[in-house]
Amino acid sequence: MPETNKKSDSSEIESYMTMPDKRGHFGPYGGRFVSETLMGPLEELEQAYKKHIKDPAFIAEFEHDLKHYVGRPSPLYHAERWSEQLGGAQIYLKREDLNHTGAHKINNTVGQALLAKLMGKRRVIAETGAGQHGVATATVAARYGMECVVYMGAEDIQRQAMNVFRMKLLGATVVSVEAGSKTLKDALNEAMRDWVTNVDDTFYIIGTVAGPHPYPAMVRDFNSVVGREARQQCLDQAGRLPDALVACVGGGSNAIGLFHSFLDDKDVSIYGVEAAGEGIETGHHAAPLNAGKPGVLHGNRTYLMEDEYGQIIETHSISAGLDYPGVGPEHAWLKDTGRANYVSVTDIEALQAFHDLTRIEGIIPALESSHALAYTTKIAPKMAKDAIIITNLSGRGDKDIHTVAAHEGITL
Amino acid sequence: MSRIETCFSALKNNNKKALIPFITAGDPSLDMTVGLMHVLTKAGADIIELGVPFSDPMADGPVIQRASERALLNGTNTDDVFNIVKEFRTENESTPIILMGYMNPIEVMGYETFVEKAANAGVDGLIIVDLPPEESVEFGEVLKPYGIDQIFLISPTTHGKRLDRICEVASGFLYYVSLKGVTGSNQLDVKAVDDKLNEIRSKTSLPLGVGFGIKNPQIAEDVGRVSDAVVVGSALVERIAEHAGDGEKMKLEISSFMSSLRTALDNIG
């Protein structure tokens, strides 16, 4: 494979915002590793995307729906009590949990559904792990009058019964995927199989910054509204840029959404937080950037959790949305270049942060976001009191109440 | 001449079509694969496609997915696949063997190591489902000195410049995916296949094989009339799964199904 893992000297890179290259590569990562049948449709999608993303009418409609339907801009909230208790940096939370449907995922599904409409596709499909992307897709499908099928691992369907019902209420068909590990990766495989079969009338709305080109770039672009807003809000509220950004990384869409606008602000430290599950050393985790190797899965080259023969291994995280063996290729590249730091926190640490934020700020965070919050509690105390951290509160925690209760031996 | 070239030129001289069965290495067990391969050749296989199991077979339908799962449960790894080919070669020097699989096991082993091991084992061609020509330049360079063909797929959605490009870089033969879908699908349209094959033929003189959705002798015959080779996968793998508990019965079943396909193809021309 092409050279990976080489730490290039960051000073050589003038801008981190020019990726991917023409063929969808972020350095050695990304690309388009799919079966032949999808190559044509992906080219067609890329052309349509390139055309419409420059079209003022498309942008206006996208921004209109983000404002009036999603409820943007989302606040940048200064968590004063929490900052005070941690005794260090001032923590600002980017409140993606306040978006319609309760997470950042809707930014991307609005964008892709509008694109699907312009491309004349009447049917949309999606994969989902925690169910947030499935709900966000079912929501826009209802909004734009499209047929919607969501693929979800049988295991995840068990864990996220409420989101499954939400999707059904919204008119979507939820297909239980029984193959493999019955989680997000298998749902993605199954959605790809659907797409390859129904490619003429179907648009595949991928929910994260992974998959074949142009998905990693397109999903990033639709989510980068998060960082654009946060950057301006921070300048407005604090009079300067933050010192650090923190976001959880499963596939990495909320993280890249926050990070992207800051990539060339080189004084801003960037932390992506992976799920260490029961601990990296136990092997029961979902932290490919911390403990995986580069490989090819789901249409792109990136860091993966795999065995010595390249079979994808099962991941573990208390948070279904982080339970994925790969990661977006741009994160792989940001790791290798050293521009971003990828760290991890365990299930236990995330649960502690879940409770802390709930009790101290009156905000119930998603378990995914709780990973970013947990890492924030590690770095904030070591920073000066006038330092600023922006942590992406990527989703709200209502969907996780049952998981948390079960973990604590409580039956609801 | 490579084994693949020799095979197609002999078939052409005899006015025959190539029958290419697919089975997954290690399914139903590692011990049985070599024996099954010999059954396939004795019952009329011209080339064997041997599936390299992968945990996430995105382009495969449920039948071949499950074969992959069974093989992995049996502990089958890439080195086992090479050993299977090596063992097969001790009794059969002539039948071309094509490994069919996904990119990640190759990435992990390293291009050079994988290709060297494949060549040493006696592999003649590779079909890497998720490695389109756009991403295969570097791999192709590694492959060249070993004389192993990378068999490219062409699908109903392959048009224009991409089709030209594939015809340019292809070697061995070209594999036309008969329909939009995964392996084992149900909707093969012979007329549409014929039209596309004619378009491809105007751009290359390589033999053209057709696969995905060929499940019985009748479809094999219909597709054989318009192509140079037919690939049968899911229909065989299904029979292997059905008789997994009884090796002898399985061999009989596979042998008789293969013979029926052979007879159907030999009816042509």
Side-chain angles (χ1 to χ4, degrees):
Chain A
M1 66 175 294
E3 293 199 354
T4 46
N5 292 320
K6 289 268 165 73
K7 281 236 167 166
S8 35
D9 183 357
S10 321
S11 62
E12 286 169 15
I13 297 174
E14 266 180 38
S15 173
Y16 288 87
M17 297 173 75
T18 57
M19 289 285 181
D21 68 16
K22 278 196 180 129
R23 285 174 46 230
H25 293 117
F26 300 84
Y29 302 108
R32 193 176 275 167
F33 295 85
V34 294
S35 59
E36 179 58 31
T37 311
L38 290 179
M39 289 301 283
L42 282 167
E43 257 179 22
E44 187 197 345
L45 171 62
E46 184 189 352
Q47 293 314 321
Y49 175 61
K50 274 189 183 157
K51 181 179 141 201
H52 292 301
I53 197 70
K54 286 186 204 127
D55 173 9
F58 176 80
I59 296 296
E61 191 175 3
F62 179 52
E63 287 179 350
H64 176 275
D65 276 12
L66 286 185
K67 182 175 178 190
H68 297 283
Y69 188 63
V70 175
R72 304 206 69 91
S74 68
L76 184 69
Y77 166 70
H78 185 186
E80 287 181 72
R81 251 167 67 78
W82 198 39
S83 306
E84 181 68 27
Q85 291 202 8
L86 289 168
Q90 301 308 304
I91 301 163
Y92 286 75
L93 301 175
K94 182 59 176 163
R95 297 291 309 274
E96 292 300 296
D97 61 317
L98 294 178
N99 291 340
H100 179 41
T101 72
H104 71 288
K105 294 285 185 189
I106 189 109
N107 304 320
N108 168 51
T109 58
V110 166
Q112 289 198 51
L114 286 173
L115 191 58
K117 205 171 71 167
L118 286 172
M119 291 175 73
K121 310 284 183 183
R122 54 157 204 96
R123 178 174 180 268
V124 294
I125 58 170
E127 84 294 339
T128 197
Q132 291 304 95
H133 174 59
V135 168
T137 303
T139 299
V140 296
R143 160 90 174 82
Y144 302 115
M146 292 160 163
E147 184 189 334
C148 178
V149 176
V150 178
Y151 290 90
M152 190 165 183
E155 181 104 338
D156 290 335
I157 285 184
Q158 290 297 317
R159 293 196 275 193
Q160 301 288 347
M162 198 167 83
N163 270 344
V164 173
F165 189 58
R166 284 168 87 191
M167 287 184 265
K168 288 181 180 167
L169 286 174
L170 289 159
T173 304
V174 180
V175 179
S176 173
V177 178
E178 307 284 343
S181 61
K182 305 181 171 68
T183 59
L184 178 56
K185 80 173 177 73
D186 310 285
L188 216 151
N189 292 334
E190 207 54 39
M192 281 278 182
R193 293 182 187 117
D194 178 315
W195 196 35
V196 86
T197 307
N198 302 297
V199 72
D200 293 333
D201 68 351
T202 297
F203 189 106
Y204 180 12
I205 300 187
I206 292 186
T208 192
V209 285
H213 179 59
Y215 283 101
M218 179 168 70
V219 176
R220 173 198 70 198
D221 292 347
F222 288 140
N223 267 314
S224 63
V225 62
V226 176
R228 270 199 309 280
E229 282 176 9
R231 195 173 183 282
Q232 190 57 50
Q233 287 166 323
C234 192
L235 288 171
D236 293 345
Q237 293 174 34
R240 66 180 185 86
L241 291 178
D243 299 282
L245 306 175
V246 184
C248 65
V249 177
S253 67
N254 90 84
I256 212 77
L258 175 64
F259 299 166
H260 196 251
S261 295
F262 294 91
L263 288 178
D264 286 344
D265 298 317
K266 292 181 188 167
D267 292 333
V268 179
S269 302
I270 296 178
Y271 298 94
V273 187
E274 293 193 307
E278 293 166 11
I280 299 278
E281 68 288 351
T282 66
H284 298 150
H285 59 82
L289 289 169
N290 280 276
K293 291 192 303 266
V296 170
L297 179 70
H298 293 153
N300 65 113
R301 182 182 283 120
T302 187
Y303 280 82
L304 299 174
M305 306 241 324
E306 58 190 351
D307 70 11
E308 59 177 319
Y309 283 101
Q311 307 299 340
I312 305 307
I313 55 180
E314 288 190 21
T315 52
H316 168 83
S317 170
I318 191 164
S319 141
L322 301 182
D323 213 348
Y324 180 64
V327 62
E330 190 162 10
H331 288 294
W333 179 71
L334 289 172
K335 172 192 160 74
D336 282 9
T337 57
R339 177 61 190 100
N341 307 289
Y342 292 91
V343 295
S344 65
V345 307
T346 62
D347 288 349
I348 302 287
E349 291 169 323
L351 279 164
Q352 185 60 50
F354 172 92
H355 285 298
D356 287 350
L357 196 77
T358 303
R359 294 296 290 269
I360 298 166
E361 294 288 350
I363 298 170
I364 302 179
L367 283 174
E368 289 78 13
S369 322
S370 298
H371 285 72
L373 297 167
Y375 192 72
T376 305
T377 66
K378 293 188 183 191
I379 59 169
K382 296 180 201 151
M383 295 168 74
K385 286 203 167 166
D386 59 352
I388 296 172
I389 301 174
I390 296 180
T391 298
N392 203 6
L393 188 50
S394 54
R396 70 176 183 227
D398 312 40
K399 70 181 176 60
D400 295 314
I401 300 293
H402 283 84
T403 306
V404 173
H407 191 266
E408 287 162 16
I410 300 162
T411 315
L412 298 182
Chain B
M1 255 206 293
S2 72
R3 283 194 197 96
I4 294 176
E5 280 175 291
T6 310
C7 170
F8 275 107
S9 101
L11 286 164
K12 198 171 179 192
N13 290 339
N14 296 321
N15 206 16
K16 286 177 77 175
K17 306 292 183 178
L19 174 56
I20 310 180
F22 167 99
I23 59 172
T24 298
D27 171 44
S29 73
L30 265 173
D31 297 344
M32 291 189 71
T33 302
V34 174
L36 272 174
M37 290 166 77
H38 289 306
V39 170
L40 294 173
T41 54
K42 286 189 184 110
D46 299 295
I47 296 174
I48 292 177
E49 252 187 46
L50 192 59
V52 182
F54 182 50
S55 54
D56 292 78
M58 252 167 35
D60 284 300
V63 170
I64 294 177
Q65 282 174 48
R66 284 196 288 271
S68 222
E69 280 178 18
R70 285 192 296 271
L72 290 174
L73 272 175
N74 292 335
T76 310
N77 64 42
T78 317
D79 284 317
D80 294 327
V81 179
F82 295 138
N83 288 333
I84 284 170
V85 177
K86 227 181 250 173
E87 198 188 326
F88 175 80
R89 281 275 172 255
T90 60
E91 281 183 48
N92 183 323
E93 258 301 312
S94 59
T95 305
I97 294 180
I98 294 164
L99 298 187
M100 180 163 189
Y102 293 79
M103 195 56 195
N104 202 44
I106 302 176
E107 289 265 319
V108 164
M109 189 169 273
Y111 294 174
E112 197 75 46
T113 311
F114 181 93
V115 173
E116 199 185 325
K117 284 182 174 181
N120 287 340
V123 169
D124 304 284
L126 297 173
I127 299 175
I128 309 166
V129 180
D130 54 352
L131 189 68
E134 283 84 346
E135 299 286 356
S136 77
V137 176
E138 197 187 337
F139 186 67
E141 289 302 311
V142 176
L143 217 46
K144 234 180 241 167
Y146 290 92
I148 294 180
D149 293 313
Q150 187 177 351
I151 314 293
F152 284 104
L153 305 176
I154 291 177
S155 85
T157 57
T158 312
H159 302 291
K161 277 188 197 153
R162 292 202 64 260
L163 182 55
D164 295 346
R165 170 98 200 282
I166 294 172
C167 290
E168 230 173 85
V169 297
S171 63
F173 67 97
L174 278 160
Y175 184 138
Y176 181 60
V177 175
S178 65
L179 44 82
K180 294 171 192 163
V182 293
T183 51
S185 299
N186 240 337
Q187 334 132 352
L188 190 145
D189 172 351
V190 178
K191 173 76 176 72
V193 169
D194 188 25
D195 290 347
K196 191 72 179 187
L197 293 186
N198 284 330
E199 185 191 352
I200 301 168
R201 250 186 224 108
S202 71
K203 298 170 194 286
T204 180
S205 54
L206 285 174
L208 305 181
V210 176
F212 284 42
I214 298 176
K215 32 182 53 154
N216 59 45
Q218 187 57 54
I219 303 178
E221 185 177 333
D222 294 346
V223 172
R225 280 185 198 283
V226 300
S227 67
D228 304 303
V230 297
V231 183
V232 180
S234 298
L236 267 172
V237 171
E238 212 157 31
R239 285 168 168 81
I240 290 173
E242 197 181 324
H243 301 287
D246 185 345
E248 288 315 305
K249 182 127 192 263
M250 179 198 301
K251 285 182 182 171
L252 283 174
E253 184 69 25
I254 293 297
S255 177
S256 105
F257 181 58
M258 279 293 290
S259 301
S260 67
L261 294 166
R262 181 75 265 169
T263 307
L265 286 182
D266 291 345
N267 283 341
I268 306 167

